[in-house]
Amino acid sequence: MEKWNIDDLSVGMLVEATFWANPVQTSDFRFRATHLDGRRAPKVVLCDDMRIVPGTPCRVRIKAIKKPAREDRGSIEVEFDRLMEFRLDGVYLDPVVSKKLQVLLESGLNILLDGPQGCGKTVTARSIAQTLGMEFVFFNCGAVIDASDFLATIQVRASESGSPVTDFTKTEVLEALEDALESPEKRYLIFLDELNRCPESARNALMPALDSSRRLFHPIENRFIRIGDNVQFVAAVNRGGEFSATFGIDAAQLDRFAPVQMDYLPADEEVKLLKSRHPELSEAILKRIVSLAAKVRQAAEISGGLSVRATDEVCVYLKHPLFAEQPHKDLPEILKSSFCGRFAGRWDDVTTDAGAVWALIQRGATKEA
Ligand SMILES: Nc1ncnc2c1ncn2[C@@H]1O[C@H](COP(=O)(O)OP(=O)(O)OP(=O)(O)O)[C@@H](O)[C@H]1O
Ligand SMILES: [Mg+2]
């Protein structure tokens, strides 16, 4: 979203802001925010009210705009109005999970989001960052082979003389860690997706970043770098089919995170989400899709989850003119690929998960007929 124009802000206006401790320790204001209503503020936003809880959005009233004409100076002083519920745009978050996340974010603990495939771990992390005005860095741990991959990619090329030279390219994680040290006023959320998918040795190298040592080995400069207090780590793990107790993550590694369990959205919320994305479809068909998805997710004999991507994909088919004429009739065939196709085996082999899903879909169809 674009930055506020100073002329669009005025004294008395009510806006939403999320405050953090003011890094300028000599300031009269203990709290500082960078965004108003989710848009970057033209000046730093200051408040000194002790009712403010760092990391929790609150409603404030603009009290004064200092030095409005100067690009590089001035501030926006605000009065505390009230704390807001943690609310993420376009993302459904379970109220209890929301409270837990709020507490953890506030205390700066590393968070581990644990939930089935496609239940919204990534969108949640991304929208937390957006809501709180944090820089979001997405890092796919599934692609990590070696410990240094977290921070740099290495390329070997021929020099002019023909001898091999090694080039290091910083990853976005390293860039963020370096930026964070230079810009204490910004906050960074580093999202480590699929943390359970990278080799244990590589994960081990990450451990000092996640405990009180807060440092990491810089493979390009051959030294340790400090991790600023303005960096927060959120990792996600996906249990997929394997229901092992620790999803392959060593207990000592796991212990460095506060685990938070996530689950699929409740059926009525999933219907709402799909309706907002596919308004062309009737509520009746959306309910049918979601109720079948819920059955698949709950079935004890089927291992692994069924992503919200699957229900979304079904809607993409159904609203297309090729299928739009008789959506209820075509639904089973679409589910055959969008649901059954996400499981091991084949729809026509009842001994496989895909076959079990197909059996569920057919049972659902007969009941309705
Ligand atoms: N609670 C939710 N609120 C809004 N959208 C959701 C929610 N859960 C899932 N979705 C939608 O489902 C899709 C998958 O979500 P997302 O990628 O966040 O899941 P994930 O848990 O990270 O999946 P994976 O385990 O595969 O990494 C996205 O299109 C997302 O918008
Ligand atoms: Mg994800």
Side-chain angles (χ1 to χ4, degrees):
M1 248 184 289
E2 58 183 288
K3 186 174 167 177
W4 276 101
N5 189 332
I6 191 100
D7 300 327
D8 295 331
L9 294 170
S10 57
V11 172
M13 220 168 127
L14 277 171
V15 275
E16 205 179 303
T18 304
F19 290 85
W20 300 96
N22 190 348
V24 183
Q25 267 149 24
T26 48
S27 163
D28 291 339
F29 299 90
R30 267 166 289 187
F31 302 105
R32 203 196 60 126
T34 51
H35 289 64
L36 295 174
D37 286 346
R39 288 165 66 186
R40 194 158 183 86
K43 296 181 184 302
V44 26
V45 181
L46 298 171
C47 193
D48 197 48
D49 194 302
M50 282 316 281
R51 285 171 293 176
I52 281 177
V53 178
T56 302
C58 55
R59 199 163 74 166
V60 292
R61 190 184 302 278
I62 298 182
K63 201 165 85 177
I65 300 173
K66 300 283 168 77
K67 298 202 178 26
R70 292 285 301 253
E71 280 276 315
D72 54 337
R73 295 267 174 91
S75 58
I76 298 168
E77 289 179 26
V78 295
E79 260 170 6
F80 178 85
D81 183 53
R82 64 177 175 87
L83 287 177
M84 309 274 297
E85 284 284 303
F86 199 53
R87 188 170 34 77
L88 305 175
D89 259 354
V91 175
Y92 169 81
L93 196 52
D94 175 81
V96 179
V97 171
S98 162
K99 277 191 215 163
K100 289 181 184 168
L101 287 176
Q102 225 168 47
V103 172
L104 297 174
L105 285 164
E106 208 181 295
S107 39
L109 289 172
N110 306 313
I111 299 171
L112 184 80
L113 301 178
D114 169 11
Q117 189 156 43
C119 73
K121 299 178 292 291
T122 305
V123 282
T124 299
R126 197 182 283 280
S127 65
I128 285 174
Q130 198 188 8
T131 311
L132 300 183
M134 299 169 89
E135 310 288 322
F136 184 76
V137 180
F138 177 91
F139 188 79
N140 176 15
C141 301
V144 166
I145 296 168
D146 205 58
S148 61
D149 295 345
F150 284 110
L151 299 186
T153 55
I154 301 168
Q155 270 141 10
V156 181
R157 62 173 170 90
S159 70
E160 276 172 25
S161 68
S163 55
V165 248
T166 311
D167 280 334
F168 288 99
T169 312
K170 294 178 187 176
T171 62
E172 280 183 54
V173 172
L174 180 53
E175 283 182 352
L177 294 177
E178 289 182 342
D179 285 353
L181 290 174
E182 277 171 30
S183 317
E185 77 287 358
K186 287 200 208 159
R187 294 184 45 86
Y188 297 78
L189 191 158
I190 299 185
F191 183 68
L192 303 168
D193 205 13
E194 305 204 27
L195 185 68
N196 53 331
R197 292 268 159 85
C198 72
E200 176 156 12
S201 58
R203 253 192 330 259
N204 265 332
L206 200 62
M207 292 305 116
L210 302 168
D211 58 30
S212 53
S213 16
R214 299 277 294 173
R215 57 183 207 153
L216 258 191
F217 189 71
H218 194 310
I220 306 177
E221 294 174 8
N222 273 321
R223 62 179 179 91
F224 279 92
I225 57 161
R226 187 169 66 80
I227 294 173
D229 294 339
N230 50 344
V231 176
Q232 167 112 36
F233 290 97
V234 178
V237 290
N238 180 332
R239 289 180 190 246
E242 354 98 49
F243 268 89
S244 67
T246 58
F247 24 78
I249 296 190
D250 169 59
Q253 297 175 344
L254 208 53
D255 194 42
R256 286 166 166 76
F257 290 95
V260 175
Q261 293 74 32
M262 290 182 58
D263 217 329
Y264 294 111
L265 355 74
D268 53 337
E269 291 293 340
E270 189 168 350
V271 169
K272 249 194 255 170
L273 178 80
L274 295 174
K275 188 146 194 68
S276 71
R277 291 186 184 175
H278 311 282
E280 308 87 338
L281 296 178
S282 75
E283 181 128 351
I285 192 99
L286 292 177
K287 280 189 173 156
R288 213 177 133 196
I289 298 166
V290 168
S291 120
L292 282 167
K295 285 206 179 90
V296 173
R297 290 167 187 156
Q298 284 155 13
E301 72 273 22
I302 301 165
S303 60
L306 179 66
S307 170
V308 175
R309 290 182 202 102
T311 50
D312 191 68
E313 182 185 299
V314 174
C315 297
V316 171
Y317 274 118
L318 289 178
K319 71 180 184 187
H320 191 281
L322 286 172
F323 285 103
E325 263 178 43
Q326 37 182 7
H328 282 277
K329 185 162 170 285
D330 290 334
L331 184 62
E333 277 306 315
I334 290 169
L335 298 181
K336 195 186 268 179
S337 29
S338 296
F339 283 13
C340 300
R342 285 183 154 79
F343 290 87
R346 259 181 73 87
W347 64 273
D348 54 359
D349 178 355
V350 285
T351 64
T352 64
D353 278 352
V357 173
W358 182 238
L360 258 178
I361 294 168
Q362 282 189 309
R363 243 177 283 150
T366 6
K367 222 185 275 163
E368 269 162 54

